[in-house]
Amino acid sequence: MAAVTAASAMLLLTSCGEDTAAAGGDWKPSKPVEYIAPAATGGGWDTLARTSSRVLDESGLVDRPMRVVNKPGAGGAIGWSYVAKFPKDPHRLFVTSPPVLLVPLAGESDQTYRDFTPIARLNSEPLAYVVKSGSPYKTFEDVAAKVKSSPKALAFAGGSGPGSLDHVGLAGAVQAAGADASKLKYVPFDGGGEALTSLLGGHADVAVAGASEVRGLARSGDIRVLAVSSAERSSILPDAPTLTESGIDYEFDIWRGVMAPKGLTDGQVAYWEKTFADMLKEDGWKAESKKLGWTDAYLGSKEFGEFLDEQNEEFTEILTDVGLKK
């Protein structure tokens, strides 16, 4: 999977900020902006929407209110289906992440990412593959070897349904390690917290969740992090090896970004590109990102769109291999 290093991300941020400043024209919001979080309060999308709206407001980068509206359901499809009803409207945005690709591929959404305007990718964090501290499995290679020899022997807990984010991040890693991902015993839960509770309760052998979700349990010693899915070690889980360090050629980022309805003008896209690029430079954003374990991974509209095309091809292959592509 293509990954953006910290250095290249900063170059993209700088160049995109300059380009969009020149291309942005005079357009700016003329009324409050409806900022959709396609999930309930408290999750990753809600946190991103509320954090970014607060920073944009406090910094004065947007001089109209950014009103966060939660529209949960259908893995995010309820929220982005709502936005799709307002083509050419630059006063409606929604936060997004891999489910905008995965849910349509699984046949659970009438819209795909191509029905929207990519604005910017903002940040990312890796998945973490974890076991209880007393587990006999010391590395991800140990887990993969067990799956090869006895595919149904291990129960894997994830915080999203079959074919969605955690499952795909797990299946891709298992497949890259040479095991048959279609035979995994995957048990979905409603969020990473429940998946980790299942692990601690002895109801699962391995769990997969975002690095920020496992950080507390890793520090307390309740769990062991076998690996993280990023190209480089995570700043919040510095002792955990990457999959590539373990000899498994696979990377998976939980990227997050912002999209808008289809049909925005170049000037409207440029305004929002520059606004979010400038937001990432704000001290308030940097402080929140550090606290939440986010890594800035900015891509402007064009680059974000190309990234989505690449990810869609990769996810199509993985979902096909595990029998979940519709």
Side-chain angles (χ1 to χ4, degrees):
M1 176 181 297
V4 179
T5 65
S8 61
M10 287 307 297
L11 286 172
L12 282 166
L13 175 58
T14 302
S15 63
C16 186
E18 292 171 351
D19 292 344
T20 55
D26 295 328
W27 186 88
K28 62 180 181 179
S30 58
K31 60 182 180 180
V33 177
E34 193 172 33
Y35 198 18
I36 304 300
T41 58
W45 282 332
D46 179 69
T47 301
L48 176 60
R50 295 186 186 280
T51 299
S52 55
S53 65
R54 183 170 63 252
V55 173
L56 289 171
D57 177 61
E58 292 175 350
S59 64
L61 289 171
V62 178
D63 62 3
R64 291 291 186 272
M66 296 282 289
R67 294 176 176 169
V68 175
V69 179
N70 295 90
K71 290 191 176 292
I78 298 297
W80 63 66
S81 294
Y82 169 78
V83 174
K85 297 175 182 177
F86 302 95
K88 301 182 181 182
D89 186 350
H91 295 91
R92 286 184 170 86
L93 305 173
F94 69 98
V95 294
T96 189
S97 62
V100 78
L101 305 174
L102 294 167
V103 172
L105 286 173
E108 301 298 327
S109 172
D110 293 333
Q111 288 84 29
T112 76
Y113 72 100
R114 295 187 181 93
D115 293 310
F116 304 97
T117 301
I119 297 297
R121 189 182 73 175
L122 300 179
N123 59 29
S124 69
E125 69 171 298
L127 283 174
Y129 309 93
V130 304
V131 294
K132 286 180 67 173
S133 57
S135 169
Y137 302 101
K138 308 296 184 184
T139 68
F140 192 85
E141 290 173 297
D142 293 341
V143 170
K146 186 65 175 178
V147 173
K148 291 177 189 177
S149 64
S150 183
K152 297 295 185 181
L154 300 180
F156 292 85
S160 56
S164 55
L165 193 148
D166 290 348
H167 188 199
V168 169
L170 171 65
V174 167
Q175 191 166 286
D180 187 349
S182 68
K183 296 181 179 179
L184 286 175
K185 184 180 179 181
Y186 179 75
V187 184
F189 289 88
D190 187 16
E194 289 190 12
L196 293 169
T197 298
S198 174
L199 176 73
L200 293 175
H203 305 295
D205 302 288
V206 185
V208 56
S212 59
E213 293 177 295
V214 309
R215 174 173 49 178
L217 291 172
R219 287 179 174 174
S220 67
D222 291 298
I223 62 172
R224 178 189 305 125
V225 183
L226 301 180
V228 292
S229 64
S230 48
E232 299 178 356
R233 291 201 176 197
S234 168
S235 61
I236 60 172
L237 297 171
D239 296 329
T242 66
L243 288 170
T244 52
E245 285 180 65
S246 303
I248 300 168
D249 186 18
Y250 183 72
E251 298 170 23
F252 186 94
D253 284 328
I254 309 174
W255 55 265
R256 299 183 181 92
V258 179
M259 300 184 81
K262 200 172 183 66
L264 267 62
T265 67
D266 290 346
Q268 290 163 348
V269 172
Y271 170 87
W272 285 119
E273 272 188 314
K274 184 177 186 303
T275 296
F276 283 106
D278 289 345
M279 181 192 74
L280 267 63
K281 302 172 187 176
E282 292 291 322
D283 289 341
W285 175 264
K286 293 176 182 178
E288 289 296 320
S289 292
K290 183 177 181 179
K291 182 174 70 176
L292 293 165
W294 292 343
T295 299
D296 286 352
Y298 184 91
L299 292 176
S301 179
K302 181 177 182 295
E303 295 84 1
F304 187 23
E306 292 169 350
F307 170 79
L308 290 170
D309 289 338
E310 294 171 0
Q311 285 254 291
N312 196 59
E313 289 184 12
E314 179 179 346
F315 290 165
T316 297
E317 182 178 341
I318 293 174
L319 288 179
T320 299
D321 288 344
V322 299
L324 292 171
K325 170 70 170 66
K326 300 295 184 181

